Each structure stands twice: as C-alpha cells, then as structure tokens.
Amino acid sequence: QVALVESGGGLVQAGGSLRLSCAASGRTFSRYAMGWFRQAPGKEREFVAGINRSGSSTSYADSVKGRFIISRENTKNTVYLQMNSLKVEDTAVYYCAARIWGLGRETDPFDYWGQGTQVTVSS
C-alpha cells in the first residue's frame, strides 16, 4: 500500500504558475505509475496527467497539454505537477493517484488517492 499527500495548492492569478507535489510513503514508489486528477465544483473528476514508473513516458489531457508538466523523483518518493499559464477554468481540487505496475495512462485503474489540494485561479 501507499499513502499520498499533496501540497502546493493555493490562489494564483490567471497566467500564473504553481507547482504541486505529491509525497508517497513506503519504499516501493518506483513500482507505481502516478497520475494527477482534478475535480471542479459541480463537475466530475477528470484526468489531468500521468507518468509511468520510470518517468520516461507521460500523458496529458488535451485541456492542459503544453501548459502542465508532470514529473517524478523516485529517490524522493515524489511526483510533481508544474502548472503554467493557468486559466480560471483550471480551478479545482487536485488529487494525486497511484497504480501499482501501471502505465500512467488515463485508462489506468488508479487505486490509491490523496486527500487533494485546492487550486484557485482568479481572473
């Protein structure tokens, strides 16, 4: 099992940047593909970005391609989401997720979730 804790959320103006971090417990972080999801008020949770176990492959939702970057440091048990050129519509609670032996794709059945961190983008 793995426990996930997100950090780095906050309030930012449109056009600004934030970097989210997700720290994982345990010694087997490199066995897990990781993903970032978000849920805005009144909307369903949606996939944002994913990364495979080694960090060599990433995937993104069309809405964030070219603006967000997912990365990981297996030596630090941490996955990051660098968010640039933020838009008001990026406002949501962002969740980190893990899937053991996964690929880091939207279709992965992620089975471990963090508590989420709020990101608010003002106009």
Side-chain angles (χ1 to χ4, degrees), residues 41-122:
K43 295 187 177 181
E44 293 187 353
R45 185 173 61 195
E46 64 176 357
F47 174 82
V48 174
I51 189 166
N52 69 350
R53 292 177 285 123
S54 67
S56 62
S57 177
T58 58
S59 60
Y60 297 92
D62 288 343
S63 59
V64 306
K65 279 181 182 176
R67 300 189 298 122
F68 290 12
I69 301 171
I70 187 171
S71 62
R72 65 188 295 161
E73 288 189 81
N74 286 349
T75 57
K76 295 184 178 180
N77 282 17
T78 303
V79 62
Y80 305 97
L81 185 67
Q82 178 67 43
M83 305 186 294
N84 301 318
S85 302
L86 282 161
K87 304 176 181 180
V88 172
E89 51 264 42
D90 293 319
T91 295
V93 177
Y94 283 72
Y95 298 91
C96 174
R99 170 67 179 177
I100 193 166
W101 308 122
L103 299 175
R105 302 295 175 86
E106 182 176 2
T107 51
D108 274 1
F110 289 93
D111 41 19
Y112 296 99
W113 296 85
Q115 293 299 307
T117 185
Q118 176 70 47
V119 172
T120 302
V121 184
S122 63

Side-chain angles (χ1 to χ4, degrees), residues 29-47:
F29 182 65
S30 61
R31 298 180 182 178
Y32 292 85
M34 302 299 295
W36 285 97
F37 291 75
R38 68 186 181 187
Q39 187 166 21
K43 295 187 177 181
E44 293 187 353
R45 185 173 61 195
E46 64 176 357
F47 174 82

